[in-house]
């Protein structure tokens, strides 16, 4: 998985300096996992034990409402993360499930690996801060779009938020992400 | 404003160690501001120049949809923050406005103060990371509640999210926060 670890190093180098010695130690803690299409890697109610960094493939994060309807919340494509970060950091039951939409390869990072990173990487906390900021912006934009945009506007923005997502994801997941029915989505697409 | 600066130090000490020398330097960079009730301290479209830490009072953050309707997005009570953090960090036009619901006193932190904090406080990046994580969780929970809860459930949770908020905020702001009309809210409250 050499090219995969190099991908991770290159991703991290976008945000912080990491030297060979730090990298050697940190990268020795990664684990890798191949996930079959439709496989569920996190179930709501269980503690989220890992952060998933997608090397290849596509994951979706969803939550289930009181009527048992699954609501797709987020998509994680190559070089982005999937996790229930609150469950992961606090050890509380997860509010989300994570499932593979395509056959997917991920690097896994446990809470111990993360804590180690904060201790051993000179700029570990800086990286943690920047990544938390990035995901904060993503969620903040998502709320703003729910409050201010029509479902059609949100649909048209999906390819900007998640490049090529509309070509990779089933219609019912797109409708679910937009919080509308598949019939409503199909009507919108004809406009 | 001695007791106010002590409040800030005590707030920070919940998350990181900060010694007297660090504090002396860092606290010398604060500015304070009294904000009149209904005064607007950030307008959408302008660059957000400060993070506001509320010492006393209550601020609301709102955004305006394409029909010109203001949507209340967040409330900031004592010992919490108000800002358009993305605009603040990136220097891009703000998507939100911030207005005082009550007469309010805030400590202001500019981007230079923040950058200085990351350089001079031993655990500055750790504090930045933890605060970004906390706000990430708040927004993540907000999205989950929009997807999975009814307006009545969200109304009933507001006092947990923002203690005493229902007693401090006008009904139209509560309705706006719930993304429903004031008439709808008044009907829900009779249930």
């Amino acid at each position: 998985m050499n090219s995969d670890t190099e991908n991770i190093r290159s991703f991290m180098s976008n945000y912080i300096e990491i030297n060979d010695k730090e990298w050697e130690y940190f990268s020795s803690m990664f684990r890798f996992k191949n996930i079959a299409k439709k496989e569920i890697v996190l179930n709501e109610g269980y503690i989220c034990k890992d952060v998933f960094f997608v090397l290849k493939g596509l994951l979706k994060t969803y939550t289930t409402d009181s009527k048992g309807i699954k609501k797709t919340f987020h998509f994680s494509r190559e070089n982005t993360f999937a996790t229930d970060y609150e469950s992961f950091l606090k050890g509380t039951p997860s509010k989300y499930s994570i499932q593979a939409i395509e056959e997917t390869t991920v690097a896994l990072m446990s809470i111990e690996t993360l804590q180690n990173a904060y201790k051993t990487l000179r700029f570990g906390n800086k990286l943690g801060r920047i990544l938390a900021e990035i995901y904060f912006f993503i969620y903040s934009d998502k709320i703003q779009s729910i409050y201010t945009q029509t479902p059609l506007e949100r649909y048209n923005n999906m390819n900007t938020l998640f490049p090529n997502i509309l070509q990779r994801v089933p219609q019912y997941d797109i409708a679910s992400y937009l919080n509308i029915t598949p019939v409503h989505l199909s009507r919108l697409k004809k406009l």
Side-chain angles (χ1 to χ4, degrees), chain A:
Chain A
M1 296 257 179
N2 247 343
S3 76
D4 286 340
T5 54
E6 279 311 309
N7 264 359
I8 302 172
R9 183 170 185 173
S10 145
F11 173 82
M12 291 171 70
S13 301
N14 290 329
Y15 306 109
I16 59 165
E17 270 177 53
I18 180 161
N19 65 30
D20 289 346
K21 201 178 150 197
E22 288 174 310
W23 177 249
E24 196 181 328
Y25 178 73
F26 183 59
S27 60
S28 71
M29 292 184 288
F30 292 147
R31 292 166 298 131
F32 294 91
K33 186 177 164 72
N34 291 315
I35 307 170
K37 188 173 170 171
K38 298 198 175 175
E39 186 179 340
I40 292 174
V41 288
L42 174 66
N43 270 299
E44 284 161 74
Y46 289 80
I47 293 168
C48 178
K49 299 283 191 190
D50 292 288
V51 168
F52 302 88
F53 182 77
V54 178
L55 294 161
K56 190 179 156 294
L58 186 63
L59 301 175
K60 71 170 173 183
T61 302
Y62 62 87
T63 188
T64 309
D65 73 9
S66 51
K67 292 175 191 152
I69 296 168
K70 292 175 182 173
K71 303 280 190 169
T72 301
F73 185 83
H74 192 66
F75 300 104
S76 304
R77 52 196 293 286
E78 289 82 2
N79 288 328
T80 70
F81 295 94
T83 188
D84 182 327
Y85 204 41
E86 188 162 10
S87 168
F88 173 79
L89 287 182
K90 298 184 180 171
T92 51
S94 170
K95 296 170 187 166
Y96 303 96
S97 297
I98 298 175
Q99 184 177 23
I101 292 179
E102 301 172 355
E103 197 183 326
T104 299
T105 307
V106 295
L108 298 172
M109 194 171 66
S110 69
I111 188 76
E112 293 76 21
T113 303
L114 185 74
Q115 282 160 348
N116 247 312
Y118 290 145
K119 274 184 212 146
T120 58
L121 302 182
R122 287 165 302 154
F123 302 110
N125 271 296
K126 181 176 174 186
L127 181 64
R129 169 175 68 76
I130 292 172
L131 293 177
E133 285 167 3
I134 290 173
Y135 279 80
F136 173 76
F137 298 155
I138 292 173
Y139 280 23
S140 159
D141 284 351
K142 185 176 167 95
I143 299 175
Q144 210 216 12
S145 76
I146 292 170
Y147 274 66
T148 63
Q149 294 180 349
T150 64
L152 182 60
E153 287 168 324
R154 296 183 60 220
Y155 174 78
N156 288 331
N157 283 338
M158 280 184 73
N159 263 337
T160 311
L161 284 173
F162 307 104
N164 295 317
I165 198 75
L166 298 177
Q167 289 76 52
R168 291 172 73 176
V169 168
Q171 293 302 301
Y172 62 83
D173 272 325
I174 295 174
S176 175
Y177 177 83
L178 297 171
N179 210 10
I180 61 178
T181 63
V183 174
H184 188 173
L185 174 62
S186 132
R187 233 181 288 134
L188 287 182
K189 288 171 67 180
K190 287 184 193 135
L191 293 178

PDB file of all heavy atoms in Angstrom, chain A residues 104-135:
ATOM      1  N   THR A 104     -14.673   0.136  -1.874  1.00  0.00           N
ATOM      2  CA  THR A 104     -13.910   1.263  -1.317  1.00  0.00           C
ATOM      3  C   THR A 104     -12.677   0.773  -0.548  1.00  0.00           C
ATOM      4  O   THR A 104     -12.722  -0.280   0.085  1.00  0.00           O
ATOM      5  CB  THR A 104     -14.831   2.078  -0.366  1.00  0.00           C
ATOM      6  OG1 THR A 104     -15.931   2.586  -1.120  1.00  0.00           O
ATOM      7  CG2 THR A 104     -14.101   3.253   0.284  1.00  0.00           C
ATOM      8  N   THR A 105     -11.590   1.525  -0.644  1.00  0.00           N
ATOM      9  CA  THR A 105     -10.414   1.260   0.189  1.00  0.00           C
ATOM     10  C   THR A 105     -10.195   2.453   1.110  1.00  0.00           C
ATOM     11  O   THR A 105     -10.207   3.596   0.647  1.00  0.00           O
ATOM     12  CB  THR A 105      -9.142   1.064  -0.666  1.00  0.00           C
ATOM     13  OG1 THR A 105      -9.421   0.067  -1.644  1.00  0.00           O
ATOM     14  CG2 THR A 105      -7.962   0.634   0.178  1.00  0.00           C
ATOM     15  N   VAL A 106     -10.020   2.165   2.390  1.00  0.00           N
ATOM     16  CA  VAL A 106      -9.818   3.262   3.348  1.00  0.00           C
ATOM     17  C   VAL A 106      -8.565   3.014   4.188  1.00  0.00           C
ATOM     18  O   VAL A 106      -8.131   1.873   4.360  1.00  0.00           O
ATOM     19  CB  VAL A 106     -11.013   3.408   4.326  1.00  0.00           C
ATOM     20  CG1 VAL A 106     -12.282   3.822   3.601  1.00  0.00           C
ATOM     21  CG2 VAL A 106     -11.243   2.134   5.129  1.00  0.00           C
ATOM     22  N   ALA A 107      -8.001   4.112   4.689  1.00  0.00           N
ATOM     23  CA  ALA A 107      -7.025   4.018   5.777  1.00  0.00           C
ATOM     24  C   ALA A 107      -7.798   4.304   7.059  1.00  0.00           C
ATOM     25  O   ALA A 107      -8.643   5.203   7.098  1.00  0.00           O
ATOM     26  CB  ALA A 107      -5.922   5.053   5.593  1.00  0.00           C
ATOM     27  N   LEU A 108      -7.546   3.514   8.085  1.00  0.00           N
ATOM     28  CA  LEU A 108      -8.257   3.649   9.346  1.00  0.00           C
ATOM     29  C   LEU A 108      -7.357   4.306  10.377  1.00  0.00           C
ATOM     30  O   LEU A 108      -6.176   3.978  10.484  1.00  0.00           O
ATOM     31  CB  LEU A 108      -8.625   2.268   9.898  1.00  0.00           C
ATOM     32  CG  LEU A 108      -9.548   1.406   9.051  1.00  0.00           C
ATOM     33  CD1 LEU A 108      -9.642   0.021   9.668  1.00  0.00           C
ATOM     34  CD2 LEU A 108     -10.920   2.058   9.018  1.00  0.00           C
ATOM     35  N   MET A 109      -7.913   5.210  11.148  1.00  0.00           N
ATOM     36  CA  MET A 109      -7.162   5.826  12.226  1.00  0.00           C
ATOM     37  C   MET A 109      -7.981   5.683  13.502  1.00  0.00           C
ATOM     38  O   MET A 109      -9.117   6.161  13.574  1.00  0.00           O
ATOM     39  CB  MET A 109      -6.926   7.299  11.892  1.00  0.00           C
ATOM     40  CG  MET A 109      -5.881   7.936  12.759  1.00  0.00           C
ATOM     41  SD  MET A 109      -5.459   9.589  12.136  1.00  0.00           S
ATOM     42  CE  MET A 109      -7.008  10.424  12.414  1.00  0.00           C
ATOM     43  N   SER A 110      -7.413   5.020  14.501  1.00  0.00           N
ATOM     44  CA  SER A 110      -8.115   4.846  15.779  1.00  0.00           C
ATOM     45  C   SER A 110      -7.893   6.069  16.655  1.00  0.00           C
ATOM     46  O   SER A 110      -7.046   6.924  16.365  1.00  0.00           O
ATOM     47  CB  SER A 110      -7.582   3.606  16.492  1.00  0.00           C
ATOM     48  OG  SER A 110      -6.256   3.869  16.910  1.00  0.00           O
ATOM     49  N   ILE A 111      -8.619   6.146  17.765  1.00  0.00           N
ATOM     50  CA  ILE A 111      -8.473   7.274  18.687  1.00  0.00           C
ATOM     51  C   ILE A 111      -7.048   7.287  19.275  1.00  0.00           C
ATOM     52  O   ILE A 111      -6.460   8.351  19.474  1.00  0.00           O
ATOM     53  CB  ILE A 111      -9.565   7.245  19.791  1.00  0.00           C
ATOM     54  CG1 ILE A 111      -9.547   8.504  20.648  1.00  0.00           C
ATOM     55  CG2 ILE A 111      -9.484   6.003  20.670  1.00  0.00           C
ATOM     56  CD1 ILE A 111     -10.134   9.706  20.005  1.00  0.00           C
ATOM     57  N   GLU A 112      -6.475   6.099  19.486  1.00  0.00           N
ATOM     58  CA  GLU A 112      -5.101   6.029  20.012  1.00  0.00           C
ATOM     59  C   GLU A 112      -4.118   6.608  18.987  1.00  0.00           C
ATOM     60  O   GLU A 112      -3.179   7.317  19.347  1.00  0.00           O
ATOM     61  CB  GLU A 112      -4.705   4.583  20.343  1.00  0.00           C
ATOM     62  CG  GLU A 112      -5.466   3.959  21.503  1.00  0.00           C
ATOM     63  CD  GLU A 112      -6.892   3.534  21.152  1.00  0.00           C
ATOM     64  OE1 GLU A 112      -7.182   3.337  19.941  1.00  0.00           O
ATOM     65  OE2 GLU A 112      -7.726   3.424  22.082  1.00  0.00           O
ATOM     66  N   THR A 113      -4.347   6.294  17.709  1.00  0.00           N
ATOM     67  CA  THR A 113      -3.475   6.843  16.656  1.00  0.00           C
ATOM     68  C   THR A 113      -3.576   8.366  16.644  1.00  0.00           C
ATOM     69  O   THR A 113      -2.566   9.074  16.551  1.00  0.00           O
ATOM     70  CB  THR A 113      -3.893   6.280  15.277  1.00  0.00           C
ATOM     71  OG1 THR A 113      -3.824   4.863  15.339  1.00  0.00           O
ATOM     72  CG2 THR A 113      -2.983   6.782  14.169  1.00  0.00           C
ATOM     73  N   LEU A 114      -4.797   8.864  16.762  1.00  0.00           N
ATOM     74  CA  LEU A 114      -4.985  10.314  16.756  1.00  0.00           C
ATOM     75  C   LEU A 114      -4.292  10.963  17.957  1.00  0.00           C
ATOM     76  O   LEU A 114      -3.573  11.961  17.811  1.00  0.00           O
ATOM     77  CB  LEU A 114      -6.478  10.652  16.778  1.00  0.00           C
ATOM     78  CG  LEU A 114      -6.798  12.144  16.643  1.00  0.00           C
ATOM     79  CD1 LEU A 114      -6.578  12.603  15.206  1.00  0.00           C
ATOM     80  CD2 LEU A 114      -8.227  12.456  17.065  1.00  0.00           C
ATOM     81  N   GLN A 115      -4.485  10.366  19.132  1.00  0.00           N
ATOM     82  CA  GLN A 115      -3.847  10.924  20.332  1.00  0.00           C
ATOM     83  C   GLN A 115      -2.326  10.897  20.213  1.00  0.00           C
ATOM     84  O   GLN A 115      -1.630  11.823  20.608  1.00  0.00           O
ATOM     85  CB  GLN A 115      -4.315  10.172  21.574  1.00  0.00           C
ATOM     86  CG  GLN A 115      -5.708  10.611  22.012  1.00  0.00           C
ATOM     87  CD  GLN A 115      -6.418   9.624  22.902  1.00  0.00           C
ATOM     88  OE1 GLN A 115      -5.970   8.483  23.048  1.00  0.00           O
ATOM     89  NE2 GLN A 115      -7.538  10.024  23.486  1.00  0.00           N
ATOM     90  N   ASN A 116      -1.819   9.819  19.632  1.00  0.00           N
ATOM     91  CA  ASN A 116      -0.398   9.701  19.349  1.00  0.00           C
ATOM     92  C   ASN A 116       0.072  10.794  18.389  1.00  0.00           C
ATOM     93  O   ASN A 116       1.155  11.356  18.559  1.00  0.00           O
ATOM     94  CB  ASN A 116      -0.122   8.350  18.691  1.00  0.00           C
ATOM     95  CG  ASN A 116       0.696   7.471  19.598  1.00  0.00           C
ATOM     96  OD1 ASN A 116       1.703   7.934  20.135  1.00  0.00           O
ATOM     97  ND2 ASN A 116       0.267   6.245  19.763  1.00  0.00           N
ATOM     98  N   ALA A 117      -0.752  11.067  17.397  1.00  0.00           N
ATOM     99  CA  ALA A 117      -0.387  12.097  16.413  1.00  0.00           C
ATOM    100  C   ALA A 117      -0.270  13.453  17.095  1.00  0.00           C
ATOM    101  O   ALA A 117       0.658  14.217  16.831  1.00  0.00           O
ATOM    102  CB  ALA A 117      -1.434  12.152  15.300  1.00  0.00           C
ATOM    103  N   TYR A 118      -1.206  13.735  18.015  1.00  0.00           N
ATOM    104  CA  TYR A 118      -1.144  15.023  18.710  1.00  0.00           C
ATOM    105  C   TYR A 118       0.111  15.113  19.575  1.00  0.00           C
ATOM    106  O   TYR A 118       0.660  16.191  19.791  1.00  0.00           O
ATOM    107  CB  TYR A 118      -2.395  15.245  19.568  1.00  0.00           C
ATOM    108  CG  TYR A 118      -3.645  15.487  18.741  1.00  0.00           C
ATOM    109  CD1 TYR A 118      -4.879  15.016  19.159  1.00  0.00           C
ATOM    110  CD2 TYR A 118      -3.579  16.188  17.543  1.00  0.00           C
ATOM    111  CE1 TYR A 118      -6.028  15.243  18.394  1.00  0.00           C
ATOM    112  CE2 TYR A 118      -4.716  16.400  16.773  1.00  0.00           C
ATOM    113  CZ  TYR A 118      -5.934  15.930  17.207  1.00  0.00           C
ATOM    114  OH  TYR A 118      -7.051  16.149  16.451  1.00  0.00           O
ATOM    115  N   LYS A 119       0.553  13.960  20.074  1.00  0.00           N
ATOM    116  CA  LYS A 119       1.749  13.975  20.924  1.00  0.00           C
ATOM    117  C   LYS A 119       3.041  14.017  20.111  1.00  0.00           C
ATOM    118  O   LYS A 119       4.001  14.664  20.490  1.00  0.00           O
ATOM    119  CB  LYS A 119       1.773  12.718  21.811  1.00  0.00           C
ATOM    120  CG  LYS A 119       0.988  12.894  23.098  1.00  0.00           C
ATOM    121  CD  LYS A 119       1.128  11.668  23.988  1.00  0.00           C
ATOM    122  CE  LYS A 119      -0.130  11.459  24.799  1.00  0.00           C
ATOM    123  NZ  LYS A 119      -0.442  10.073  25.038  1.00  0.00           N
ATOM    124  N   THR A 120       3.076  13.280  18.995  1.00  0.00           N
ATOM    125  CA  THR A 120       4.369  13.062  18.341  1.00  0.00           C
ATOM    126  C   THR A 120       4.607  13.945  17.125  1.00  0.00           C
ATOM    127  O   THR A 120       5.747  14.202  16.766  1.00  0.00           O
ATOM    128  CB  THR A 120       4.531  11.589  17.921  1.00  0.00           C
ATOM    129  OG1 THR A 120       3.439  11.264  17.035  1.00  0.00           O
ATOM    130  CG2 THR A 120       4.492  10.658  19.112  1.00  0.00           C
ATOM    131  N   LEU A 121       3.553  14.406  16.463  1.00  0.00           N
ATOM    132  CA  LEU A 121       3.775  15.296  15.317  1.00  0.00           C
ATOM    133  C   LEU A 121       3.903  16.724  15.840  1.00  0.00           C
ATOM    134  O   LEU A 121       3.063  17.174  16.617  1.00  0.00           O
ATOM    135  CB  LEU A 121       2.610  15.227  14.327  1.00  0.00           C
ATOM    136  CG  LEU A 121       2.259  13.864  13.727  1.00  0.00           C
ATOM    137  CD1 LEU A 121       1.105  14.002  12.737  1.00  0.00           C
ATOM    138  CD2 LEU A 121       3.471  13.252  13.034  1.00  0.00           C
ATOM    139  N   ARG A 122       4.919  17.427  15.399  1.00  0.00           N
ATOM    140  CA  ARG A 122       5.111  18.801  15.880  1.00  0.00           C
ATOM    141  C   ARG A 122       3.864  19.647  15.626  1.00  0.00           C
ATOM    142  O   ARG A 122       3.502  20.499  16.417  1.00  0.00           O
ATOM    143  CB  ARG A 122       6.303  19.451  15.158  1.00  0.00           C
ATOM    144  CG  ARG A 122       7.673  18.951  15.578  1.00  0.00           C
ATOM    145  CD  ARG A 122       8.711  19.402  14.552  1.00  0.00           C
ATOM    146  NE  ARG A 122       8.361  18.900  13.221  1.00  0.00           N
ATOM    147  CZ  ARG A 122       8.729  19.465  12.059  1.00  0.00           C
ATOM    148  NH1 ARG A 122       9.451  20.572  12.058  1.00  0.00           N
ATOM    149  NH2 ARG A 122       8.373  18.932  10.907  1.00  0.00           N
ATOM    150  N   PHE A 123       3.216  19.410  14.478  1.00  0.00           N
ATOM    151  CA  PHE A 123       2.071  20.247  14.119  1.00  0.00           C
ATOM    152  C   PHE A 123       0.762  19.455  14.110  1.00  0.00           C
ATOM    153  O   PHE A 123      -0.162  19.771  13.364  1.00  0.00           O
ATOM    154  CB  PHE A 123       2.330  20.915  12.763  1.00  0.00           C
ATOM    155  CG  PHE A 123       3.576  21.759  12.757  1.00  0.00           C
ATOM    156  CD1 PHE A 123       4.700  21.372  12.051  1.00  0.00           C
ATOM    157  CD2 PHE A 123       3.626  22.932  13.497  1.00  0.00           C
ATOM    158  CE1 PHE A 123       5.850  22.148  12.060  1.00  0.00           C
ATOM    159  CE2 PHE A 123       4.775  23.714  13.515  1.00  0.00           C
ATOM    160  CZ  PHE A 123       5.895  23.323  12.799  1.00  0.00           C
ATOM    161  N   GLY A 124       0.713  18.415  14.955  1.00  0.00           N
ATOM    162  CA  GLY A 124      -0.476  17.558  14.997  1.00  0.00           C
ATOM    163  C   GLY A 124      -1.735  18.316  15.374  1.00  0.00           C
ATOM    164  O   GLY A 124      -2.779  18.176  14.731  1.00  0.00           O
ATOM    165  N   ASN A 125      -1.644  19.158  16.414  1.00  0.00           N
ATOM    166  CA  ASN A 125      -2.829  19.925  16.822  1.00  0.00           C
ATOM    167  C   ASN A 125      -3.235  20.934  15.762  1.00  0.00           C
ATOM    168  O   ASN A 125      -4.420  21.209  15.576  1.00  0.00           O
ATOM    169  CB  ASN A 125      -2.561  20.652  18.143  1.00  0.00           C
ATOM    170  CG  ASN A 125      -2.934  19.774  19.332  1.00  0.00           C
ATOM    171  OD1 ASN A 125      -4.095  19.442  19.504  1.00  0.00           O
ATOM    172  ND2 ASN A 125      -1.938  19.370  20.105  1.00  0.00           N
ATOM    173  N   LYS A 126      -2.237  21.468  15.053  1.00  0.00           N
ATOM    174  CA  LYS A 126      -2.557  22.408  13.977  1.00  0.00           C
ATOM    175  C   LYS A 126      -3.343  21.682  12.881  1.00  0.00           C
ATOM    176  O   LYS A 126      -4.349  22.183  12.378  1.00  0.00           O
ATOM    177  CB  LYS A 126      -1.268  23.010  13.403  1.00  0.00           C
ATOM    178  CG  LYS A 126      -1.515  24.019  12.310  1.00  0.00           C
ATOM    179  CD  LYS A 126      -0.227  24.661  11.824  1.00  0.00           C
ATOM    180  CE  LYS A 126      -0.504  25.564  10.625  1.00  0.00           C
ATOM    181  NZ  LYS A 126       0.743  26.090  10.046  1.00  0.00           N
ATOM    182  N   LEU A 127      -2.898  20.473  12.519  1.00  0.00           N
ATOM    183  CA  LEU A 127      -3.611  19.686  11.513  1.00  0.00           C
ATOM    184  C   LEU A 127      -5.033  19.391  11.990  1.00  0.00           C
ATOM    185  O   LEU A 127      -6.001  19.558  11.247  1.00  0.00           O
ATOM    186  CB  LEU A 127      -2.868  18.382  11.225  1.00  0.00           C
ATOM    187  CG  LEU A 127      -3.518  17.484  10.161  1.00  0.00           C
ATOM    188  CD1 LEU A 127      -3.530  18.163   8.804  1.00  0.00           C
ATOM    189  CD2 LEU A 127      -2.792  16.138  10.060  1.00  0.00           C
ATOM    190  N   GLY A 128      -5.158  18.964  13.251  1.00  0.00           N
ATOM    191  CA  GLY A 128      -6.482  18.676  13.812  1.00  0.00           C
ATOM    192  C   GLY A 128      -7.374  19.902  13.770  1.00  0.00           C
ATOM    193  O   GLY A 128      -8.558  19.821  13.451  1.00  0.00           O
ATOM    194  N   ARG A 129      -6.783  21.056  14.091  1.00  0.00           N
ATOM    195  CA  ARG A 129      -7.555  22.303  14.064  1.00  0.00           C
ATOM    196  C   ARG A 129      -8.032  22.618  12.649  1.00  0.00           C
ATOM    197  O   ARG A 129      -9.215  22.895  12.417  1.00  0.00           O
ATOM    198  CB  ARG A 129      -6.698  23.457  14.591  1.00  0.00           C
ATOM    199  CG  ARG A 129      -7.310  24.827  14.371  1.00  0.00           C
ATOM    200  CD  ARG A 129      -6.507  25.944  14.991  1.00  0.00           C
ATOM    201  NE  ARG A 129      -5.212  26.201  14.378  1.00  0.00           N
ATOM    202  CZ  ARG A 129      -5.029  26.845  13.210  1.00  0.00           C
ATOM    203  NH1 ARG A 129      -6.056  27.264  12.509  1.00  0.00           N
ATOM    204  NH2 ARG A 129      -3.812  27.051  12.741  1.00  0.00           N
ATOM    205  N   ILE A 130      -7.118  22.543  11.681  1.00  0.00           N
ATOM    206  CA  ILE A 130      -7.480  22.915  10.304  1.00  0.00           C
ATOM    207  C   ILE A 130      -8.541  21.968   9.751  1.00  0.00           C
ATOM    208  O   ILE A 130      -9.507  22.393   9.120  1.00  0.00           O
ATOM    209  CB  ILE A 130      -6.217  22.939   9.406  1.00  0.00           C
ATOM    210  CG1 ILE A 130      -5.310  24.090   9.850  1.00  0.00           C
ATOM    211  CG2 ILE A 130      -6.594  23.083   7.936  1.00  0.00           C
ATOM    212  CD1 ILE A 130      -3.945  24.117   9.172  1.00  0.00           C
ATOM    213  N   LEU A 131      -8.396  20.667  10.026  1.00  0.00           N
ATOM    214  CA  LEU A 131      -9.386  19.712   9.505  1.00  0.00           C
ATOM    215  C   LEU A 131     -10.742  19.928  10.176  1.00  0.00           C
ATOM    216  O   LEU A 131     -11.779  19.881   9.513  1.00  0.00           O
ATOM    217  CB  LEU A 131      -8.898  18.274   9.681  1.00  0.00           C
ATOM    218  CG  LEU A 131      -7.675  17.919   8.818  1.00  0.00           C
ATOM    219  CD1 LEU A 131      -7.213  16.499   9.108  1.00  0.00           C
ATOM    220  CD2 LEU A 131      -7.980  18.078   7.322  1.00  0.00           C
ATOM    221  N   ALA A 132     -10.733  20.202  11.490  1.00  0.00           N
ATOM    222  CA  ALA A 132     -12.009  20.483  12.173  1.00  0.00           C
ATOM    223  C   ALA A 132     -12.640  21.746  11.584  1.00  0.00           C
ATOM    224  O   ALA A 132     -13.853  21.811  11.381  1.00  0.00           O
ATOM    225  CB  ALA A 132     -11.808  20.627  13.679  1.00  0.00           C
ATOM    226  N   GLU A 133     -11.815  22.740  11.266  1.00  0.00           N
ATOM    227  CA  GLU A 133     -12.342  23.968  10.649  1.00  0.00           C
ATOM    228  C   GLU A 133     -12.976  23.672   9.287  1.00  0.00           C
ATOM    229  O   GLU A 133     -14.069  24.149   8.981  1.00  0.00           O
ATOM    230  CB  GLU A 133     -11.231  25.010  10.486  1.00  0.00           C
ATOM    231  CG  GLU A 133     -10.834  25.687  11.788  1.00  0.00           C
ATOM    232  CD  GLU A 133      -9.521  26.489  11.683  1.00  0.00           C
ATOM    233  OE1 GLU A 133      -8.946  26.568  10.568  1.00  0.00           O
ATOM    234  OE2 GLU A 133      -9.080  27.010  12.714  1.00  0.00           O
ATOM    235  N   ILE A 134     -12.267  22.869   8.479  1.00  0.00           N
ATOM    236  CA  ILE A 134     -12.771  22.557   7.139  1.00  0.00           C
ATOM    237  C   ILE A 134     -14.141  21.878   7.231  1.00  0.00           C
ATOM    238  O   ILE A 134     -15.083  22.248   6.539  1.00  0.00           O
ATOM    239  CB  ILE A 134     -11.774  21.658   6.370  1.00  0.00           C
ATOM    240  CG1 ILE A 134     -10.525  22.472   6.008  1.00  0.00           C
ATOM    241  CG2 ILE A 134     -12.420  21.061   5.114  1.00  0.00           C
ATOM    242  CD1 ILE A 134      -9.395  21.653   5.400  1.00  0.00           C
ATOM    243  N   TYR A 135     -14.257  20.900   8.138  1.00  0.00           N
ATOM    244  CA  TYR A 135     -15.536  20.193   8.252  1.00  0.00           C
ATOM    245  C   TYR A 135     -16.606  21.074   8.891  1.00  0.00           C
ATOM    246  O   TYR A 135     -17.779  20.979   8.547  1.00  0.00           O
ATOM    247  CB  TYR A 135     -15.342  18.839   8.950  1.00  0.00           C
ATOM    248  CG  TYR A 135     -14.824  17.848   7.927  1.00  0.00           C
ATOM    249  CD1 TYR A 135     -13.477  17.824   7.572  1.00  0.00           C
ATOM    250  CD2 TYR A 135     -15.706  17.030   7.233  1.00  0.00           C
ATOM    251  CE1 TYR A 135     -13.012  16.982   6.576  1.00  0.00           C
ATOM    252  CE2 TYR A 135     -15.253  16.183   6.245  1.00  0.00           C
ATOM    253  CZ  TYR A 135     -13.910  16.159   5.916  1.00  0.00           C
ATOM    254  OH  TYR A 135     -13.464  15.334   4.910  1.00  0.00           O
TER     255      TYR A 135
END
